[in-house]
Amino acid sequence: MSVGSTLNQILPVRFLGFIPLFIGVEIVLGISILNKAGGVYGILSIITGHPLNFWQWLYNILAIFTLPFYISALIHLRDKPRNVRKLSLATIVYVLDTAIGIFYTLYFIYFWFSSEDVSSEEIEKRAEVSSALSSQSASIARELYVTLSTTIVISAIRIYFTMVIVSFTRALLKQDVNENRYNDSSRTGDDDDEQEVNASKGVLGEWKKFVFELEIKSKEVLTAFFRG
């Protein structure tokens, strides 16, 4: 079974079954931008004296890193032909971001269970002198159930959002390929942007060149992938 036929079976054609994918992508990117903006506050929490471990630092830094790509994709979502390049890069970033998020979810679950194991041992030691053991254990069990259920639901939503973005980008790339068969206007737009980027100087200019190359490469990679 080819990649294309497999994707046709699993990727949504409408957001939530009845909303156009274009609007769905706007919603997904908007939610992602708000979510990633929290990474800035996470880093700034050091000012308040709130301790952050290595994994928390890394997660917040990654959130800040992905934020510009989501903002750029949302701003240029209606801007042809830039939207194809920018959404291609945002799609790859979003897929990687989702994978990292799932890893952190698994880490959180492991950390939670480890903490609960320690708490259970402490509770058992106090069982001889406390008659409230049963109610305390029940409270911990309920808290654990709610936390894990919420985490699983959020992860499932995130995976669905990823499928929405991938589906829309796939359709956008397919449309771009079909248009390029009859004219070269899309490539002309890329050439204009490339000339503008190459004319940029300084650190900002180097960053623009780096991002532009990533966009072109992302577009090529996804086009080849969806053709497979």
Side-chain angles (χ1 to χ4, degrees):
M1 183 178 293
S2 65
V3 174
S5 59
T6 302
L7 292 177
N8 285 334
Q9 295 178 5
I10 63 175
L11 292 180
V13 294
R14 286 185 173 273
F15 183 65
L16 299 179
F18 64 95
I19 301 175
L21 279 179
F22 179 85
I23 298 177
V25 171
E26 287 184 319
I27 294 174
V28 171
L29 289 175
I31 293 175
S32 299
I33 290 171
L34 293 176
N35 181 40
K36 296 305 176 182
V40 178
Y41 294 99
I43 294 296
L44 293 178
S45 64
I46 190 174
I47 299 177
T48 64
H50 182 73
L52 295 177
N53 60 33
F54 170 77
W55 295 108
Q56 290 172 323
W57 269 100
L58 181 60
Y59 188 81
N60 287 321
I61 290 174
L62 289 175
I64 295 174
F65 175 77
T66 59
L67 185 59
F69 299 108
Y70 296 156
I71 293 176
S72 178
L74 182 60
I75 292 175
H76 295 92
L77 197 57
R78 301 174 183 268
D79 184 14
K80 287 187 176 183
R82 294 183 179 91
N83 58 350
V84 181
R85 297 194 329 263
K86 294 186 178 297
L87 197 60
S88 295
L89 177 57
T91 298
I92 292 180
V93 171
Y94 199 92
V95 170
L96 294 176
D97 189 21
T98 299
I100 294 173
I102 292 175
F103 168 78
Y104 269 92
T105 299
L106 295 176
Y107 167 76
F108 168 76
I109 293 175
Y110 169 77
F111 177 79
W112 182 273
F113 272 112
S114 299
S115 300
E116 289 303 317
D117 289 340
V118 174
S119 299
S120 298
E121 293 175 0
E122 293 178 353
I123 291 174
E124 290 176 0
K125 291 179 181 179
R126 298 173 186 174
E128 298 177 357
V129 294
S130 175
S131 60
L133 175 61
S134 58
S135 60
Q136 190 172 3
S137 299
S139 177
I140 292 175
R142 285 194 298 269
E143 183 180 352
L144 179 61
Y145 173 78
V146 171
T147 302
L148 291 181
S149 299
T150 303
T151 302
I152 292 173
V153 170
I154 292 176
S155 298
I157 293 174
R158 181 60 186 269
I159 292 174
Y160 178 75
F161 281 179
T162 303
M163 295 171 63
V164 169
I165 288 185
V166 171
S167 180
F168 181 77
T169 303
R170 178 171 177 260
L172 205 61
L173 286 169
K174 184 177 180 180
Q175 181 183 19
D176 182 69
V177 170
N178 291 333
E179 289 178 353
N180 288 340
R181 291 178 181 176
Y182 303 100
N183 59 74
D184 199 33
S185 59
S186 177
R187 184 61 232 177
T188 301
D190 288 345
D191 291 339
D192 292 340
D193 288 343
E194 186 174 8
Q195 292 177 3
E196 180 181 348
V197 167
N198 289 333
S200 302
K201 304 296 182 181
V203 177
L204 182 59
E206 293 300 322
W207 171 253
K208 288 182 178 180
K209 293 176 185 177
F210 174 72
V211 172
F212 182 81
E213 292 175 358
L214 282 181
E215 291 172 352
I216 295 297
K217 186 63 178 179
S218 299
K219 179 181 175 181
E220 294 173 351
V221 168
L222 289 182
T223 300
F225 174 76
F226 291 135
R227 283 177 178 173

